[in-house]
Amino acid sequence: MRSTNPGGATARDARVPGEVPGAHGAPGTRAWTTWTTRLLLLGIVLAAVNLRPAITSLGALLEEVRDGLGMSGSVAGLLTSVPPLCFAVFGVTAPRLARRFGPGAVVCAGMAAIAAGLLIRPYAGGTAGFLAATALALMGIAVSNVLMPVIVKRFFPDRVGSMTGLYSMALAFGTSIAAAATVPMTNALGGDWQPGLAVWAVVAAAAVLPWIPFVRERRAPSTLAPAPDPSGEADAGSEAPEAPGVTGKPATARPADRQAERPAEQPPLRITRSRTAWALAVFFGLQATAAYITMGWMAQIFRDSGVSAGTAGLLLAVIMVMGVPLAFVIPRVATRLPHQGPIVLVLGVCGLAGYAGLYVAPAGGAWAWALLLGVSNCAFPLALTMVGMRARTGAGVAQLSAFAQSTGYLISIPGPLLVGVLYQHSGGWGLPIALMSALMVPQMVVGFLAGRDRTVEEEAAR
């Protein structure tokens, strides 16, 4: 039941602009709440911007890095498989770390790990050091990947689509900027690939700052009160102490009283019993396979077809920049549909057309193929949106996000490596492109199944 004010309006009706849902309380708290909300939004956007430059900046300079470190095609394929491996290994730890330290603290540490890894890896000396520093950066990306949907579901439950679109758009922006700007910046810094890669550590360091205020609470992303779940169910994963004067409870409430008021923690879902969870995990894995093949190898495909290094970087940026507008539009459309399967099919058809063109005329129609592959690449924000829609509670989203992303990234590990092996042994890109096309078909099938209107809580309880 919603509470009413003396005038008879509901609490939702009484919300002031900029106020966080559920953050009603004593006079004088509104400006503080608005400031905290804006800082949280800034933190989400900057974190999302830094979730892919570690990968696409390397893709733009892969040939120079291979020459500088003496890598073979197979070893380079291993390097392009490191991202999904790290995401699978470290992403599964994110919910446990968030319960122990708070999601805000984990994301803050993740941004610091990204900055440190990007700064160290060009100067680590040798392939092993380069891989280790890359893994450090990817560890930070992995935990932040998993926790972004959790933070959105918890603090913006009535705006999952628009907020998912916002950080997906920021993620696509960071991905495309790194792809487009790495080669020109490398040239401006003297032509050496090492400072060209290290410069992205500055962007990651900037993303640490907005999260620092949210580290103080060990069991919550911030002192901001969590918004109510629109389903009416308590968030079983929410253990946040209320902020004085924000939730509407007396500011003098004792810690013991607060603890007594928290909802009892529910047991974890048996997520592996849900067919939707498995379909979403496989869909996530196959779209991640396509994405990491694209980020790791697409610039090299264009370069081998006769395109210059700078233009190849721009083509990769075009693929990624398509996610900026579409990552905002697709989640909003998806949340209004009872079944997201038709969107999956449209994206898959665009991918098949792009791969066909890449096989027939890689240089002649390069810009058209980049646009089509860019549309297809937007399966990622769609997958994130479906994670938020296929669970009813914040705790369910946390479990589903960790399961789908960790399992999905495990599935995606062989793809980039296999592309490198096929490229080295066949001496061309025909077989790798055929592999990419073949993987798009099961992606469309499982994505269609994952888009059905049901929740993992329903299926896990059967």
Side-chain angles (χ1 to χ4, degrees):
M1 180 181 296
R2 293 183 294 177
S3 62
T4 59
N5 58 26
T10 65
R12 180 180 293 274
D13 297 331
R15 187 185 308 163
V16 297
E19 198 172 8
V20 174
H24 305 285
T29 62
R30 290 178 180 177
W32 181 88
T33 300
T34 301
W35 176 85
T36 309
T37 305
R38 290 173 178 171
L39 190 62
L40 181 61
L41 286 171
L42 177 63
I44 290 172
V45 169
L46 287 180
V49 167
N50 282 278
L51 293 181
R52 294 298 179 270
I55 304 167
T56 52
S57 62
L58 176 60
L61 293 175
L62 184 59
E63 184 172 314
E64 287 76 10
V65 173
R66 286 176 57 190
D67 293 340
L69 298 178
M71 290 184 187
S72 66
S74 298
V75 174
L78 175 63
L79 181 61
T80 56
S81 292
V82 169
L85 174 62
C86 290
F87 294 167
V89 172
F90 297 115
V92 73
T93 67
R96 181 177 299 177
L97 291 172
R99 286 193 296 269
R100 176 67 180 86
F101 301 103
V106 177
V107 173
C108 185
M111 294 299 109
I114 295 170
L118 293 182
L119 181 63
I120 294 170
R121 74 173 179 177
Y123 306 103
T127 301
F130 190 93
L131 286 170
T134 298
L136 174 62
L138 294 172
M139 177 177 63
I141 295 173
V143 294
S144 301
N145 265 338
V146 171
L147 293 180
M148 285 293 105
V150 178
I151 290 173
V152 166
K153 179 74 170 183
R154 185 173 180 181
F155 289 98
F156 306 95
D158 54 348
R159 287 175 282 172
V160 170
S162 59
M163 287 301 301
T164 301
L166 177 65
Y167 79 75
S168 296
M169 188 167 59
L171 187 152
F173 176 78
T175 305
S176 58
I177 286 295
T182 297
V183 172
M185 283 198 303
T186 300
N187 294 334
L189 294 171
D192 190 349
W193 62 269
Q194 292 174 311
L197 289 183
V199 71
W200 295 103
V202 177
V203 183
V208 176
L209 302 178
W211 291 99
I212 292 176
F214 303 128
V215 175
R216 292 175 295 180
E217 293 291 342
R218 294 172 64 85
R219 302 183 71 82
S222 70
T223 53
L224 190 61
D229 193 307
S231 67
E233 296 190 23
D235 180 351
S238 175
E239 302 175 326
E242 290 88 351
V246 176
T247 62
K249 296 182 176 63
T252 57
R254 293 172 298 170
D257 296 333
R258 295 175 184 171
Q259 186 172 359
E261 292 164 354
R262 294 189 193 118
E265 186 168 334
Q266 299 175 0
L269 293 171
R270 289 183 289 183
I271 199 78
T272 55
R273 297 185 63 176
S274 169
R275 293 182 179 179
T276 298
W278 279 108
L280 190 53
V282 176
F283 175 66
F284 200 99
L286 291 174
Q287 68 81 28
T289 300
Y292 289 108
I293 290 173
T294 298
M295 287 186 280
W297 290 107
M298 195 58 63
Q300 190 66 51
I301 292 175
F302 285 124
R303 290 179 71 170
D304 286 353
S305 69
V307 175
S308 68
T311 302
L314 287 175
L315 288 165
L316 178 59
V318 166
I319 296 175
M320 300 304 162
V321 82
M322 290 297 295
V324 175
L326 292 180
F328 189 73
V329 172
I330 288 175
R332 294 174 68 89
V333 173
T335 54
R336 287 167 170 77
L337 295 177
H339 195 316
Q340 292 75 46
I343 304 177
V344 173
L345 297 181
V346 170
L347 300 182
V349 169
C350 289
L352 289 174
Y355 290 136
L358 199 62
Y359 181 83
V360 174
W367 296 100
W369 317 142
L371 288 172
L372 286 169
L373 293 174
V375 174
S376 178
N377 210 44
C378 289
F380 175 71
L382 178 60
L384 291 180
T385 304
M386 288 197 288
V387 166
M389 297 178 69
R390 296 287 89 89
R392 288 197 302 262
T393 66
V397 172
Q399 274 192 263
L400 180 57
S401 179
F403 174 75
Q405 294 201 43
S406 297
T407 305
Y409 285 127
L410 279 174
I411 292 171
S412 69
I413 290 171
L417 176 59
L418 186 56
V419 166
V421 172
L422 290 175
Y423 170 59
Q424 180 170 337
H425 287 279
S426 67
W429 289 106
L431 287 178
I433 292 173
L435 172 66
M436 298 180 223
S437 301
L439 292 176
M440 188 60 66
V441 176
Q443 177 180 321
M444 295 164 68
V445 173
V446 294
F448 190 88
L449 295 175
R452 294 174 297 175
D453 186 14
R454 56 194 63 190
T455 65
V456 294
E457 286 91 348
E458 295 171 352
E459 295 181 339
R462 293 173 185 168

